[in-house]
Amino acid sequence: MDIHEYQAKQLLSKFGVNVPPGEVVYQTHEAENILSWLNEDQIVVKAQVHAGGRGKAGGVKVCKGDDEVVKTVDKMIGMNIVTPQTTESGKTVRRVYLEKAYNIKKEFYFCITVDRETGGNTIVYSKKGGVNIEEIAEKTPKEIHKLKISPGGDLLTHHARTIVYNLGLSGKTAKGAQKNILSIYKAFTSLDAALIEINPFAIVENDEIVMLDCKASFDDNALYRQRQVAEMKDENEYDPLELEAARHDLNYVKLDGNIGLMVNGAGLSMATMDIIKYYGGEAANFMDVAGAATPERVAAAFKLIYRDSDVKGILINIFGGMMRCNDIAEGLVNASKEVGLNKPLVVRLEGTNVEMGMEILKNSGFPIKPVETMEEAAQKVVELVKK
Ligand code: ADP
Ligand code: MG
């Protein structure tokens, strides 16, 4: 789960990370009170959307004087922002953040992420911050440092000192940076984060080090024990179908094709997507009903896929291990009744009571095509959506 920049700053400041004073605004009139509270000469107005690259897209504006701030807030709220990290249609700005604007001396890049190779955390950092890090990685990879923390290990003071040294810091700035880095790492592990990316981490006028931008993502599986993080979820940032799927504990991702898929197990889902592609089709989604494919969850998943107007045909590929195929078939027929099925539906079931399941589908009275193999299923659904 992702959160907004201002929320990440709120969380990290509780761990002692140095963040600018600031406040979020949902409506223009709220800005005035906040300005008198902040009482700064210069304020930066920042669009809050789950995407980076806002600066170049007009989503970060340094303003002088209250009038300019209020005007900028008014313009930014409701604005559509398109950055390299949004889709082409962009995102609507519903919240903006007002924070103290600093005179920046230097910008660094600092990021903690979970490393799939080592199973531990990795810290990536660079002297060249503020800009597009992917570009630095490509053009001058030597400028990017990595520190791998062993699984179960911790970030120790000497690690932090190495980082600070490699960033070329000394004196007061080095001390401040070291303290901040240890705090960020503590926040990362305590909050079950999957990513905390600070770009830029900046040295400002009086040699203070301040976190000026922050992107944070969290492990969904740990949200049950991270209430303060879970409550930060901004539903406007998600696809409505994805939200509904999360409520039913389904793994659903919207894709660009026109064949709706429902499969149990991530491996079988991947294989099904591959075979669809092999026969010239494109999946409209990734839907893994995972674990126990109970008739209720199958029905909920089916209705979700069906509601997607991009879906021209559906393929269901389920292995009924613990669940019996006849129960799954019944769940599907009931869901077909509810939606008044009129899109092609190809079903391949395998496992316990598969014959009974197939009989139920054949006799349902709906245009359901039961098939026996994955090849047949993929070929059939690709053919039907092309009609
Ligand atoms: P994004 O990464 O989405 O473009 P940032 O928060 O990194 O957004 O802002 C873009 C740039 O704006 C930063 O690299 C920094 O130079 C400047 N900036 C951001 N916040 C401040 C601030 N509080 N004071 C001064 N400059 C800022
Ligand atoms: Mg940034």
Side-chain angles (χ1 to χ4, degrees):
M1 187 190 107
D2 294 342
I3 58 174
H4 289 296
E5 171 200 2
Y6 79 92
Q7 295 167 322
K9 284 177 169 170
Q10 275 170 9
L11 286 174
L12 290 190
S13 76
K14 288 186 193 159
F15 286 83
V17 180
N18 200 19
V19 305
E23 192 59 69
V24 69
V25 168
Y26 290 73
Q27 289 179 332
T28 313
H29 70 85
E30 298 164 0
E32 279 169 26
N33 276 340
I34 291 164
L35 283 170
S36 59
W37 168 72
L38 282 172
N39 194 24
E40 297 289 347
D41 295 337
Q42 288 197 77
I43 292 284
V44 53
V45 181
K46 310 180 81 175
Q48 298 299 294
V49 288
H50 290 183
R54 297 162 301 165
K56 286 183 186 154
V60 178
K61 293 258 193 256
V62 176
C63 301
K64 267 205 181 110
D66 293 6
D67 285 352
E68 196 184 341
V69 175
V70 174
K71 265 190 204 147
T72 310
V73 170
D74 201 47
K75 245 198 226 159
M76 232 183 250
I77 291 179
M79 162 179 115
N80 193 57
I81 186 165
V82 182
T83 86
Q85 293 183 18
T86 63
T87 58
E88 273 170 30
S89 51
K91 288 195 157 183
T92 307
V93 179
R94 292 184 165 88
R95 310 173 187 189
V96 297
Y97 192 49
L98 306 188
E99 71 175 10
K100 174 178 177 173
Y102 293 84
N103 292 317
I104 302 172
K105 280 189 177 172
K106 234 171 174 332
E107 298 190 323
F108 301 110
Y109 177 91
F110 182 87
C111 169
I112 311 175
T113 180
V114 178
D115 190 326
R116 288 176 194 277
E117 250 171 60
T118 61
N121 302 326
T122 292
I123 299 179
V124 182
Y125 59 101
S126 175
K127 268 186 198 177
K128 299 240 165 136
V131 282
N132 186 343
I133 196 70
E134 286 79 13
E135 207 176 299
I136 306 287
E138 203 175 294
K139 289 187 183 151
T140 49
K142 277 209 183 109
E143 301 277 3
I144 296 187
H145 302 273
K146 277 189 186 170
L147 174 72
K148 292 181 191 262
I149 309 292
S150 60
D154 202 357
L155 182 80
L156 304 174
T157 314
H158 75 270
H159 291 131
R161 261 202 302 269
T162 307
I163 296 173
V164 166
Y165 175 80
N166 286 337
L167 289 176
L169 303 177
S170 60
K172 177 186 167 192
T173 328
K175 246 188 169 167
Q178 190 176 313
K179 179 181 156 278
N180 274 277
I181 287 169
L182 290 167
S183 302
I184 298 163
Y185 195 82
K186 178 92 184 117
F188 185 90
T189 52
S190 310
L191 297 171
D192 293 305
L195 173 91
I196 292 185
E197 185 185 54
I198 298 165
N199 190 25
F201 215 167
I203 300 178
V204 297
E205 46 255 67
N206 55 355
D207 287 337
E208 217 187 321
I209 185 139
V210 193
M211 176 172 94
L212 292 189
D213 187 14
C214 183
K215 173 178 180 172
S217 301
F218 299 86
D219 184 343
D220 290 340
N221 295 316
L223 288 177
Y224 76 95
R225 62 180 192 189
Q226 299 292 353
R227 285 274 296 271
Q228 57 169 345
V229 176
E231 281 167 6
M232 288 180 164
K233 183 162 193 171
D234 177 0
E235 301 214 330
N236 285 314
E237 292 284 336
Y238 294 84
D239 177 301
L241 291 184
E242 285 183 17
L243 282 175
E244 177 89 23
R247 273 180 215 121
H248 293 283
D249 214 8
L250 301 162
N251 297 320
Y252 170 85
V253 182
K254 173 93 174 93
L255 302 170
D256 297 330
N258 60 4
I259 299 174
L261 286 186
M262 190 207 310
V263 188
N264 65 331
L268 191 59
S269 301
M270 298 288 205
T272 309
M273 290 182 30
D274 281 350
I275 199 163
I276 291 253
K277 188 128 191 147
Y278 180 79
Y279 286 112
E282 287 290 342
N285 67 281
F286 172 98
M287 168 72 86
D288 170 15
V289 294
T294 63
E296 294 74 27
R297 295 184 60 230
V298 166
F302 177 76
K303 281 187 270 178
L304 268 175
I305 298 173
Y306 194 85
R307 255 172 52 193
D308 180 348
S309 57
D310 293 336
V311 167
K312 302 289 176 250
I314 300 174
L315 169 57
I316 294 175
N317 187 12
I318 287 187
F319 179 79
M322 308 251 260
M323 281 308 304
R324 291 170 303 192
C325 292
N326 54 317
D327 288 338
I328 296 172
E330 247 163 53
L332 281 175
V333 172
N334 289 337
S336 299
K337 272 182 206 151
E338 258 183 69
V339 299
L341 181 72
N342 65 0
K343 297 184 190 183
L345 171 61
V346 177
V347 184
R348 183 238 178 184
L349 295 176
E350 191 50 271
T352 315
N353 290 355
V354 64
E355 292 82 8
M356 263 168 84
M358 291 302 208
E359 271 315 297
I360 293 170
L361 295 176
K362 268 181 211 153
N363 302 328
S364 68
F366 286 105
I368 304 180
K369 301 245 171 313
V371 296
E372 278 179 18
T373 66
M374 260 172 87
E375 285 85 357
E376 212 185 320
Q379 276 170 320
K380 193 84 212 159
V381 74
V382 170
E383 179 196 315
L384 288 169
V385 296
K386 279 193 179 148
K387 274 189 184 163

